[in-house]
Amino acid sequence: MTLEEKIGQMVQIDLTVASSDVRSVLSGGGSVPSPKASAAAWVNTVNGLQKGALSTRLGIPMIYGIDAVHGHNNVYNATIFPHNVGLGVTRDPQLIKKIGAATAKEVRATGIPYAFAPCIAVCRDPRWGRCYESYSEDHTIVQKMTEIIPGLQGDLPANSRKGVPFVVNRTKVAACAKHYMGDGGTTKGINENNTVISMNGLMSIHMPAYLNSISKGVATIMVSYSSWNGKKMHANRELVTGFLKDKLKFRGFVISDWQGIDRITSPPHANYSSSITAGVGAGIDMIMVAYNYTELINDMIYQVKNRIIPVSRIDDAVKRILRVKFVMGLFEKPLADLSMVNELGKQEHRDLAREAVRKSLVLLKNGKTADKPLLPLPKKAAKILVAGSHADNLGNQCGGWTITWQGQTGNDLTSGTTILKAVKSAVAPSTQVVYSEQPDASFVKSSKFSYAIVVVGEPPYAETQGDSLNLTIPAAGLTTINNVCGSIKCVVVVISGRPLVIEPYLAKIDALVAAWLPGTEGQGVTDVLFGDYGFTGKLARNWFRSVSQLPMNVGDAHYDPLFPFGFGLTTEPIKS
């Protein structure tokens, strides 16, 4: 291979600027062939790029990656599973493995062989805008959830060498454990910030799930934007090469985050040449440059020719990338076909997502006194009220990383079932369901409702846009709680990516359910509200009283949560 061909292997660009001289392409959040593109349209787009790669001198296939972090979430009509914050609640590795397998099929349905998942961050502070991408504040739960990797990639054969990447066949995808490491431990939960912790703390809290991921044959690992004790992870040779590659014998490839090399400096791209030296020198094999790839390629060629970056470092990167392409079967069958298009949004996958929703819900309060529980709700009632900003809003229910990067509010983003729609199909035909997003108190008082279901929470967000120092339910939601729960029996369902301030309103609320970000299958919520199934979920992160306590984790001297880690009331299913 020429130097230019080698460096071509190391560069990953966004679909929107894709060209035939680069050997890796990605779809970032919202990067699609066309709005509401079908599975077949995705296959044709990916194959078009692949044909360009195959027509080059060496004919080495390109690798296409996508963020599939709660199902195949960029793609219209895909099954959207609950975000990780809810899945951690289930503590059910076999369920998570099935979700991985279903996600792999839906990703392959669109011709894509590589998913940037799972996120194995250990979120220690809910003020972090990516906390919903973390399974738990407790690394042992995150470790269990790495079972999604054999779901995505297939089960590792018994005789496999440790650290060698593995993808079983073309119904599976290469996975990516991220973000290496300490992303969930930054000061005040500020995204991409600094994780101040001893080596012992880093290894005992943030590292363990990487050990599990490597032992399960994870193909790739993505580096974190964050720093550890002031040193950018994208420039940390000690941890990327010294620990991950040399000590742990990881043999897959290490990929940067989106423009992660640029962000080694503040402001980003300020001294790009030295950032390339630092990032490649640290041990990053594939650079998710996204857009300005000619500058990157030219600079890398210059640095190798001038012996700033050694050729041996380039050879290590390319060897790793080619190894992953070989184990994925890209050389034998580089082009995708349409044989799996019907896997996208398949009913079997939606049923699995619905099960995941049921198991991820946590019942935090049930009745103003323990001897008078409100849940399960009767399906047969004269008239019931459904209220709140999140009751009939699929976008709010799915959260960020859904169709677009930040997600979007409303019901026209993809196909699924809102909680309101689920309520209407769950109750008896004689039960009148009245929906009002923001009812006033006099309407509630005068309407003789049997009970109310209030669904409120956070708007969709992703990454830095989700960082929050106050963690409050938006004012409209609080008004709805006050107007409804002040007058009639109510269950409040909170749709959020993390615990929010609820203590001041708790006395008014009869029953309280944490539903996290459940995704497209809203019937999973009504399945347990109405007692077809019992509540089983236990908090995988503690629920604070006030933000002044944060950060607060199990074992801290000042640990005094409103609802402790592991808390969750249970109900028995109603025998019908």
Side-chain angles (χ1 to χ4, degrees):
M1 294 175 77
T2 65
L3 178 60
E4 288 76 3
E5 285 167 336
K6 289 176 184 177
I7 288 170
Q9 291 292 321
M10 295 174 66
V11 177
Q12 187 177 65
I13 60 173
D14 192 76
L15 171 62
T16 51
V17 294
S19 76
S20 63
D21 59 342
V22 168
R23 300 296 155 259
S24 182
V25 180
L26 85 145
S27 276
S31 172
V32 297
S34 60
K36 300 190 174 180
S38 66
W42 278 92
V43 169
N44 291 336
T45 296
V46 176
N47 279 351
L49 292 166
Q50 190 64 280
K51 283 169 186 168
L54 298 175
S55 68
T56 57
R57 182 179 80 95
L58 296 175
I60 296 172
M62 66 102 197
I63 183 171
Y64 196 111
I66 195 163
D67 281 289
V69 297
H70 61 142
H72 196 10
N73 50 258
N74 268 309
V75 177
Y76 183 70
N77 275 341
T79 308
I80 305 295
F81 289 91
H83 267 299
N84 290 354
V85 65
L87 296 180
V89 162
T90 71
R91 292 165 171 73
D92 185 344
Q94 290 315 303
L95 174 68
I96 304 311
K97 185 177 182 179
K98 285 182 197 161
I99 290 172
T103 302
K105 283 181 181 170
E106 297 208 12
V107 172
R108 280 287 193 178
T110 56
I112 297 172
Y114 177 24
F116 303 128
C119 175
I120 54 171
V122 182
C123 173
R124 304 290 284 172
D125 190 326
R127 291 175 292 187
W128 186 35
R130 304 193 80 156
C131 203
Y132 65 77
E133 296 183 59
S134 165
Y135 294 109
S136 178
E137 71 176 71
D138 177 6
H139 68 84
T140 60
I141 291 178
V142 179
Q143 287 177 270
K144 277 184 189 160
M145 297 298 134
T146 60
E147 199 57 22
I148 194 170
I149 292 167
L152 290 163
Q153 298 191 152
D155 286 307
L156 205 58
N159 58 353
S160 282
R161 274 176 56 212
K162 184 177 180 260
V164 175
F166 179 75
V167 182
V168 69
N169 62 30
R170 291 176 58 79
T171 66
K172 299 294 185 183
V173 295
C176 179
K178 66 185 190 183
H179 309 86
Y180 184 82
M181 91 179 143
D183 51 347
T186 60
T187 303
K188 293 186 180 173
I190 298 168
N191 191 40
E192 305 182 17
N193 205 264
N194 188 22
T195 297
V196 180
I197 195 170
S198 67
M199 175 63 98
N200 185 39
L202 189 73
M203 290 295 154
S204 61
I205 295 170
H206 300 284
M207 176 57 81
Y210 285 94
L211 305 179
N212 297 81
S213 301
I214 292 165
S215 71
K216 290 173 186 184
V218 75
T220 72
I221 290 175
M222 186 183 293
V223 182
S224 179
Y225 289 127
S226 58
S227 303
W228 173 49
N229 295 338
K231 187 168 180 66
K232 291 274 185 183
M233 280 303 308
H234 274 75
N236 194 318
R237 184 175 166 83
E238 176 196 2
L239 288 176
V240 177
T241 296
F243 195 79
L244 190 60
K245 291 182 170 182
D246 295 347
K247 188 165 184 195
L248 299 183
K249 302 285 185 274
F250 173 62
R251 294 285 173 264
F253 69 78
V254 174
I255 186 168
S256 82
D257 206 334
W258 171 276
Q259 297 180 341
I261 298 284
D262 302 59
R263 297 190 201 184
I264 288 173
T265 56
S266 183
H269 207 82
N271 189 344
Y272 196 46
S273 199
S274 72
S275 293
I276 293 168
T277 314
V280 176
I284 293 170
D285 304 311
M286 187 176 282
I287 297 164
M288 196 187 290
V289 63
Y291 305 122
N292 63 326
Y293 61 95
T294 49
E295 180 188 6
L296 172 68
I297 291 168
N298 292 339
D299 203 310
M300 283 179 72
I301 291 168
Y302 173 84
Q303 292 201 33
V304 176
K305 285 186 173 167
N306 287 275
R307 300 187 179 175
I308 301 164
I309 297 173
V311 178
S312 59
R313 174 71 274 275
I314 302 295
D315 288 347
D316 170 60
V318 176
K319 190 185 292 179
R320 290 166 177 275
I321 292 163
L322 293 178
R323 180 183 290 133
V324 170
K325 288 182 177 183
F326 273 114
V327 300
M328 292 166 76
L330 277 175
F331 281 87
E332 291 83 1
K333 201 172 173 204
L335 295 171
D337 56 41
L338 301 176
S339 63
M340 291 181 71
V341 292
N342 292 334
E343 296 288 340
L344 190 73
K346 197 176 180 182
Q347 190 56 46
E348 186 188 324
H349 300 163
R350 292 187 181 276
D351 293 344
L352 178 65
R354 182 172 175 172
E355 177 191 350
V357 175
R358 291 195 291 265
K359 291 179 173 175
S360 67
L361 302 178
V362 183
L363 181 57
L364 297 171
K365 181 178 179 181
N366 191 13
K368 286 191 173 151
T369 56
D371 58 333
K372 289 189 182 161
L374 179 62
L375 301 181
L377 297 167
K379 290 183 181 179
K380 208 171 168 137
K383 187 163 62 163
I384 67 171
L385 173 65
V386 178
S389 50
H390 290 52
D392 189 31
N393 195 308
L394 195 64
N396 286 358
Q397 200 172 296
C398 291
W401 290 111
T402 307
I403 305 301
T404 59
W405 174 43
Q406 290 295 320
Q408 59 196 74
T409 195
N411 286 332
D412 61 352
L413 74 166
T414 192
S415 53
T417 307
T418 67
I419 292 168
L420 173 66
K421 196 170 162 190
V423 169
K424 286 179 173 173
S425 62
V427 294
S430 60
T431 302
Q432 187 188 347
V433 178
V434 176
Y435 168 63
S436 172
E437 186 177 331
Q438 285 183 270
D440 60 44
S442 58
F443 167 75
V444 177
K445 278 195 183 90
S446 62
S447 297
K448 298 198 167 92
F449 292 113
S450 307
Y451 58 80
I453 300 169
V454 176
V455 192
V456 294
E458 297 186 297
Y461 56 80
E463 300 194 45
T464 306
Q465 282 85 333
D467 285 359
S468 167
L469 294 174
N470 58 17
L471 297 179
T472 49
I473 293 169
L478 297 177
T479 303
T480 305
I481 291 174
N482 285 327
N483 287 351
V484 176
C485 299
S487 311
I488 52 172
K489 277 193 165 53
C490 77
V491 53
V492 173
V493 178
V494 179
I495 305 284
S496 67
R498 51 201 163 186
L500 300 174
V501 174
I502 198 76
E503 190 174 37
Y505 320 99
L506 196 56
K508 265 193 179 153
I509 295 167
D510 294 276
L512 178 64
V513 176
W516 316 110
L517 297 168
T520 50
E521 307 313 301
Q523 317 94 303
V525 176
T526 51
D527 283 346
V528 282
L529 286 183
F530 292 104
D532 294 327
Y533 293 82
F535 278 92
T536 57
K538 307 285 182 195
L539 289 177
R541 44 183 331 103
N542 75 82
W543 199 292
F544 61 88
R545 295 176 186 278
S546 85
V547 287
S548 62
Q549 297 175 298
L550 301 175
M552 176 175 68
N553 299 101
V554 180
D556 288 351
H558 70 291
Y559 184 67
D560 177 30
L562 179 61
F563 301 109
F565 175 89
F567 179 80
L569 302 172
T570 55
T571 57
E572 290 301 316
I574 295 169
K575 302 281 184 282
S576 54

